Amino acid sequence: MKIKRLLSVPIFSVLSLIGFVYYITVFIFIEDWIGLFTSPGLISSLIFTYLASLCLFSLAVCVLTDAGPVPSSYLPDVEENAGSDHDAKISALQTRHCEKCSTYKPPRTHHCRVCRRCVLRMDHHCLWINNCVGYWNYKSFFVLVSYGTLASLYSTFIIMRCAFQKNWNFEGMLPVNIFYVICAVMMISLSSTLGTLLGWHIYLIVRNMTTIEYYEGIRAAWLARKSGQSYQHPFDVGAYKNMTLILGPNILKWAWPTSASHLKDGLSFPTLRDSS
């Protein structure tokens, strides 16, 4: 079932894009800039090959890792939040019950209409990995975006350096010049898109939010202001601890997509109330 996720048009499109960018960067622009078989050219091609390989590996981890199924035996602990009030217990149970799945939802769990199931700490459903981004593959998704941004910026740098040293003689060289311009625009656009996405998820990680929780927080903050109160995201326990909860306690393993031994069961999370 997991392997079937790879057999999709979006995954094929991503792989084709990676292959195209790799080919033009290494075999066209590095070759044209400094020569592929020179020492600088060989080093540049090895660096880009390393980044491209990490992108492919991270992509495979994102696609093949289950985002976070809710255990069939899960039952919410309503005693903690509802106390002894019977009506409060009933209300808590109702808010944690998914009508579509007919099961109870742990905190931060949401129903995915595409996958047709509830996903632990769901961030969003990503078309380009043909999978949800949730508790178990959020780190690999973040690492994928990070490596993709670095690879795109590196390719853009090589293309621009190659373009600046090129003799832009428009007589008889129009097709080549157009190809350079198209590639430069494409890589600048790709770098900008991935860089923006990376910045967004850095913000979310520092705040220990998901994309869904961010938009839920906007409404919660508006309702709090209407009642003269202030809203603070309950799972924000400090920037550094937030990062270690997602990426792991060992900084040296932050850049490795399969380093997820720090993840527990995804059924409970530390909150501001716990740390106070």
Side-chain angles (χ1 to χ4, degrees):
M1 187 66 182
K2 292 181 180 180
I3 298 297
K4 288 183 179 179
R5 292 200 194 115
L6 293 169
L7 306 177
S8 69
V9 174
I11 297 295
F12 178 77
S13 301
V14 172
L15 292 175
S16 299
L17 178 62
I18 293 174
F20 176 75
V21 172
Y22 180 81
Y23 178 81
I24 63 170
T25 301
V26 175
F27 297 105
I28 295 180
F29 292 107
I30 291 180
E31 171 65 28
D32 196 19
W33 175 32
I34 47 182
L36 188 59
F37 296 104
T38 63
S39 295
L42 184 61
I43 292 173
S44 296
S45 62
L46 286 176
I47 291 174
F48 191 73
T49 299
Y50 179 67
L51 290 173
S53 300
L54 289 173
C55 285
L56 287 172
F57 179 63
S58 300
L59 175 65
V61 175
C62 282
V63 174
L64 299 177
T65 301
D66 197 316
V70 178
S72 57
S73 60
Y74 173 77
L75 285 174
D77 182 10
V78 296
E79 297 289 342
E80 180 181 353
N81 296 323
S84 59
D85 190 327
H86 177 73
D87 292 336
K89 289 181 182 181
I90 297 299
S91 177
L93 283 172
Q94 288 176 342
T95 56
R96 294 191 184 185
H97 187 268
C98 178
E99 295 181 357
K100 295 179 181 178
C101 294
S102 298
T103 57
Y104 291 109
K105 298 187 296 184
R108 313 183 78 180
T109 298
H110 294 274
H111 185 86
C112 176
R113 290 177 294 178
V114 180
C115 296
R116 297 180 181 179
R117 62 167 186 160
C118 288
V119 177
L120 298 175
R121 199 188 179 278
M122 179 179 171
D123 187 87
H124 68 287
H125 184 91
C126 182
L127 171 70
W128 302 110
I129 64 171
N130 196 25
N131 195 7
C132 267
V133 178
Y135 185 70
W136 289 104
N137 67 346
Y138 182 80
K139 176 183 176 178
S140 58
F141 175 80
F142 176 76
V143 172
L144 169 63
V145 175
S146 301
Y147 285 136
T149 302
L150 289 174
S152 298
L153 289 172
Y154 194 74
S155 177
T156 302
F157 169 76
I158 290 173
I159 292 173
M160 298 305 293
R161 285 297 302 268
C162 187
F164 284 140
Q165 75 166 18
K166 181 177 173 56
N167 181 16
W168 289 88
N169 181 8
F170 288 91
E171 296 181 3
M173 296 291 291
L174 187 59
V176 176
N177 295 336
I178 292 175
F179 177 75
Y180 268 69
V181 172
I182 290 174
C183 288
V185 171
M186 182 189 73
M187 291 312 303
I188 290 173
S189 301
L190 183 61
S191 299
S192 300
T193 301
L194 290 176
T196 302
L197 184 62
L198 177 62
W200 168 247
H201 282 283
I202 289 175
Y203 169 79
L204 292 178
I205 287 176
V206 170
R207 299 290 301 277
N208 197 5
M209 282 183 174
T210 65
T211 300
I212 294 174
E213 289 170 348
Y214 172 80
Y215 290 106
E216 288 179 341
I218 294 177
R219 174 172 172 77
W222 176 72
L223 292 173
R225 285 195 301 269
K226 284 188 66 176
S227 59
Q229 299 175 345
S230 61
Y231 172 79
Q232 189 169 3
H233 183 55
F235 300 104
D236 184 356
V237 291
Y240 180 74
K241 188 173 182 181
N242 290 338
M243 290 188 289
T244 59
L245 288 172
I246 303 298
L247 303 175
N250 189 343
I251 297 180
L252 298 177
K253 295 182 179 180
W254 281 8
W256 192 243
T258 58
S259 177
S261 59
H262 60 286
L263 299 179
K264 298 179 181 178
D265 54 13
L267 302 179
S268 61
F269 302 89
T271 63
L272 277 172
R273 187 177 60 179
D274 299 329
S275 57
S276 61

